[in-house]
Each structure stands twice: as C-alpha cells, then as structure tokens.
Amino acid sequence: MKYISTRGAAPILTFGEAMMTGLARDGGLYVPETVPQMAQADIAALAGLPYEEVAFRVMRPFLGTTFTDDEFRGLIAKAYAGFGHDARAPLVQLGPNHFLLELFHGPTLAFKDFAMQLIGQMMQAALAKTGDRITIVGATSGDTGSAAMEAFRGLANVDLFILYPHGRVSEVQRRQMTTPTEGNVHALAMDGDFDDAQARVKDMFNDFAFRDGVRLAGVNSINWARVLAQVVYYFSSAVSLGAPHRAVSFTVPTGNFGDIFAGYIARQMGLPIEKLVIATNQNDILDRALRSGAYVTDGVKPSISPSMDIQVSSNFERALFDAYGRDGKAVAQLMAELKAGGFHISQGALETLRATFGSGRCSEEETTATIRTAFARTGEVLCPHSAVGVKVAEEHLGTAPMITLATAHPAKFPDAVEGAMGTRPALPPRMADLFDRPERVTRVANDLAALQTLIRERIGG
Ligand SMILES: *Cc1c(COP(=O)(O)O)cnc(C)c1O
C-alpha cells in the first residue's frame, strides 16, 4: 500500500511514513495510490459487530506492513476504551428518514477524538519500535487541539505544541488544552485567526532545516491516518441502516474538509452513499465554490460554530486531485493561485465534484433556530456545529436515509446553546471538575521565527 502526494512531486511513502510526515515535501497531501475495495458481502458482514472490529476490518487494507494484525487490534482497543458510550458512535433518529450520528462520546466531546486517540496510539507504538522522538505541531480552531492534548499527554516519545487563535475558542475547548499537567504537551495562544495558525504550521513544514532538526510531525486533519480513522463510522452507521442493501446519504458540518473526505473514501471503497452534503456556517467558501466554481477567500467571520470558521479547507485539495484526474501539476497550479486569493474550478472537475457532493450554508440565526426547534421536536440538544448540519440536511432529504454527523457535545459550546434554548447544557460527570483545574498556556505572536525559537528551547534542541 503506497501513498502519493496531491502535487505529484514528493517521495512515495508507506502508511507509517505518511502518518509521521503529515504534509508532503512538495506542499501536497498524501492519498492512497489506489483505494482498496470492500466487497458488498464484506460490508454486509459488518452488521452487528462491535465498533472496534468494524474499525479493524475497514482500516486494515490501508496499513500495509506497518503493524501486525494483533498489534493493530490492540491499538484500536486502547484508543476507544475511554469513550463514554458502548456503541462509540451511536445513531439516534430525528425524523422519519433523518438520523443523527453522535460522534461526541470521546474524552474531549468532539468527533476529533476518534482519529486522535488512534493516531496517538499508532505513533507511540511506531516510535517505541525505533526509539525515535518527534515534535508535533498542530493548529486548531479548538477541537483538534483539545483532542490532541488528550491523546498525546504523557506519551514517552512525543512533544506536542498546539497553536490556537487567542480569544477565539470556547472556554471548554481552551481549558481542555490548558489544563493537562504533563510536561510533553504545550498550549500556545497565538494572535490572529485559525487560518494564521494553520499558515504558520505549514511554514514550519516548508522550512526543511527546522522540520528535519526537530523531527517535525503533524496531526492536523491533513494527516492521512486521521482521515482513515474517520472512514470507520461511515461504515458502522450506514450498515446499521441497511447498507449495502440500501444506500444512505450523509450531511457533514464542514470546516477543513477532513471529516467529509473520509466519507468520500468510504464511498470509493464501495459503501453505497448517494450524496455527501457539505454543511457550512457563514464561512461558506465551499458552498459558494460548489455552486459557482469560484473558490475565492474573503476572510474569516467568527461564528457561534467556531470549529468551522475556516476559509482555506485544506483537505479539499484531496478532492480536487481526484476531480482533476489525479493531475498533481494542475493541483499545484490551483494552490499557487489560491495564495493570490482564489481559483476557478474547471467545468469538468466541477461536474465530477457535484456528482458526489451537495452543499448548503446555515446563517447564525438559522443555527440558533435549529437548536431550538430540534429540541422542541425531538428532545435532542444539538451543539451549534451539529445544528448547521441538521439545518442543511433538512434541505437535502430524499428517499435514502439521511445521516447527519453530530460533531460535538452541546456542553462544549454552552453559550451558543444557552443563547438558543435558555438553559445551559451540563458537562458529562467525568469532566465536571474541568473548571477547577489550573491552566498553563503561553501567549505568542503570529511570528514564525519566534515560534521556532520557542519550540527549539522547549524540546532542548
Ligand atoms: C473540526 C470540527 C468540524 C469540522 O470538521 P472538518 O474535518 O475540519 O471539516 C466540525 N465540527 C466540529 C465540532 C469540529 O470540531
């Protein structure tokens, strides 16, 4: 199993190498050279299995020889043992043909835990074999950072630095990043927005002297191993509703396009998915791009669904790579144009994308109204991101069952939920002391050289 870059000019890697590398050296993202196919009978056989076994069967073909089957089963078991629900990713029904996939039962209450817990286990296991140490630097709009802190704290062979936009994450998100006490994890509050933080991380990867000097690795959603871990719940939920004998659709609250791209991979593997609907908040570049063909940035507008406050959706590059017939040069050209403000998707590529993806946007007022009406109609308390999904899904209901991904627990965004419903959602009991734990954070400027100095000092190199 080999991995190639979306820009066609980086070394071809194994799964283990792609996991440790993150961003390719040509600035592209790693994708499988060919996507393994899952036979309809093998999909049908997933029905009724524990989540961990579904995870093993879906991911195993992508791994090559990086882990033995026994090792991989052990890592999966450890990754999901701390989840607060036996089903890991339970489905609840919202309406006649509309279901909600609850992805917020992990340790930091957002879907990011599914991938981060597993990648933490996989990286540590791979490093323990060689005795190597790595430095992970990640940018976060809130949930990636908290999930990474939780997954990597205390791991022997990893130092983790998380850059988050100062003042633009929720208090629960911030505390989940600033309260771990282990010395190998570092929360950095940076001036600017998420795109600034993500740009500085990309700069570090493109500075090869720094990258090689600190043995830099990435856990942002550009990391292929994260995408892969998210493919699993598309299978587990679709099979619960009758796949492969019946097709389903998904609506995915989208920011960096990692989660929905995992659904795209599930579809490529043979899971019958009719439509994958991109749901955006008022930061609607993907919805505009799919409607008009013009992918043009216009600055981030902070919203009540902050984990989707993104203009440059990194993983969209992977979808473009396929839509352009896997032409790395064409993708590199588009990304160069993006640096200058935007690009036009070719007619052929746009038609290819529209055959798989639908899209819709949800305003701030609509988000609040959806939290209120969903509670009145079903008793389900939605986080603002999930509400964006539910609103857009309702505009795309058809004959296939619709599964909307609930990406975070409402208690992670209590202000938005209280603003909509008048009551404050409670944290699950296992986290009730979050507000009493002391915080540890460093304020940093949006300055590459200063960040690099700080990281070198902290790891003592
Ligand atoms: C990260 C996140 C999203 C967006 O997911 P992408 O993979 O970046 O598209 C949506 N909702 C929540 C709660 C998130 O944490």
Side-chain angles (χ1 to χ4, degrees):
M1 186 76 216
K2 295 284 180 217
Y3 289 84
I4 59 171
S5 164
T6 51
R7 302 198 193 169
I12 294 174
L13 301 182
T14 64
F15 174 82
E17 291 165 342
M19 172 173 76
M20 290 301 182
T21 303
L23 194 67
R25 287 180 100 89
D26 58 3
L29 278 60
Y30 278 102
V31 288
E33 198 167 37
T34 54
V35 173
Q37 297 300 298
M38 205 151 164
Q40 300 295 291
D42 293 337
I43 298 174
L46 301 175
L49 295 179
Y51 186 85
E52 283 80 350
E53 181 62 22
V54 176
F56 176 80
R57 295 190 189 184
V58 169
M59 291 190 280
R60 183 69 193 87
F62 289 88
L63 262 61
T65 57
T66 304
F67 300 109
T68 67
D69 286 0
D70 280 353
E71 279 173 335
F72 189 43
R73 279 206 161 87
L75 299 175
I76 293 171
K78 267 199 205 159
Y80 300 121
F83 277 51
H85 197 299
D86 281 352
R88 310 309 182 215
L91 266 181
V92 300
Q93 190 158 8
L94 291 182
N97 213 16
H98 190 186
F99 298 81
L100 193 72
L101 181 58
E102 292 186 349
L103 299 176
F104 50 68
H105 295 284
T108 68
L109 308 179
F111 82 88
K112 306 281 195 310
D113 289 323
F114 278 89
M116 208 64 85
Q117 285 292 322
L118 185 63
I119 200 177
Q121 295 300 328
M122 290 196 295
M123 282 187 167
Q124 176 58 34
L127 291 166
K129 287 185 184 177
T130 59
D132 288 331
R133 226 189 138 72
I134 56 169
T135 304
I136 295 175
V137 182
T140 185
S141 53
D143 293 328
T144 297
S146 46
M149 286 278 176
E150 189 60 41
F152 286 88
R153 67 196 175 94
L155 294 186
N157 298 50
V158 179
D159 286 296
L160 173 72
F161 295 83
I162 291 296
L163 280 172
Y164 69 84
H166 177 69
R168 298 198 191 201
V169 299
S170 82
E171 185 171 5
V172 173
Q173 289 175 321
R174 190 191 74 232
R175 285 181 174 277
Q176 285 178 335
M177 291 189 276
T178 59
T179 57
T181 54
E182 290 83 355
N184 72 318
V185 295
H186 311 264
L188 307 178
M190 197 183 97
D191 297 331
D193 58 30
F194 170 72
D195 287 327
D196 294 321
Q198 181 163 254
R200 292 300 75 73
V201 172
K202 283 194 176 168
D203 290 345
M204 289 184 213
F205 274 94
N206 288 325
D207 176 345
F208 293 154
F210 177 78
R211 177 176 181 163
D212 296 338
V214 304
R215 299 221 37 179
L216 195 61
V219 292
N220 270 108
S221 63
I222 54 167
N223 192 305
W224 168 257
R226 276 192 55 193
V227 173
L228 179 60
Q230 294 168 183
V231 174
V232 175
Y233 46 70
Y234 287 89
F235 276 91
S236 67
S237 59
V239 167
S240 300
L241 294 182
H245 314 297
R246 173 163 85 152
V248 300
S249 289
F250 288 91
T251 299
V252 186
T254 294
N256 229 348
F257 209 78
D259 207 5
I260 196 163
F261 189 76
Y264 171 85
I265 293 294
R267 192 173 189 263
Q268 300 275 90
M269 290 174 73
L271 186 66
I273 298 178
E274 201 167 280
K275 265 284 186 288
L276 284 163
V277 181
I278 302 163
T280 74
N281 65 19
Q282 59 187 358
N283 295 290
D284 59 354
I285 186 168
L286 287 167
D287 182 45
R288 283 185 283 119
L290 233 68
R291 286 174 199 279
S292 71
Y295 190 94
V296 181
T297 58
D298 70 351
V300 174
K301 299 184 208 67
S303 80
I304 57 169
S305 43
S307 303
M308 295 155 65
D309 288 350
I310 286 172
Q311 281 294 334
V312 177
S313 282
S314 301
N315 282 290
F316 191 54
E317 179 169 341
R318 290 185 158 118
L320 286 171
F321 182 58
D322 278 0
Y324 276 81
R326 306 207 126 197
D327 178 349
K329 280 212 179 87
V331 172
Q333 172 63 32
L334 295 177
M335 294 303 133
E337 290 172 29
L338 181 58
K339 280 209 163 151
F343 57 81
H344 280 272
I345 303 170
S346 74
Q347 197 53 39
L350 196 56
E351 277 163 25
T352 304
L353 289 168
R354 284 177 181 158
T356 305
F357 297 104
S359 72
R361 103 192 270 277
C362 181
S363 70
E364 296 288 273
E365 300 72 36
E366 289 166 331
T367 306
T368 303
T370 303
I371 293 174
R372 200 162 36 234
T373 55
F375 181 68
R377 281 164 29 197
T378 70
E380 186 80 14
V381 181
L382 299 173
C383 94
H385 310 79
S386 311
V388 167
V390 166
K391 188 263 176 186
V392 172
E394 283 172 351
E395 296 165 353
H396 286 82
L397 294 177
T399 49
M402 176 63 81
I403 302 173
T404 297
L405 274 53
T407 50
H409 191 285
K412 211 164 180 184
F413 302 92
D415 296 338
V417 175
E418 186 175 16
M421 305 194 351
T423 50
R424 224 170 155 72
L427 282 170
R430 63 203 155 99
M431 289 178 198
D433 71 336
L434 186 63
F435 287 82
D436 304 327
R437 299 180 207 155
E439 294 190 71
R440 187 169 57 98
V441 59
T442 308
R443 260 312 277 285
V444 293
N446 179 7
D447 175 340
L448 178 64
L451 286 166
Q452 290 176 322
T453 303
L454 179 141
I455 290 167
R456 281 203 191 89
E457 280 171 9
R458 293 270 179 100
I459 66 170

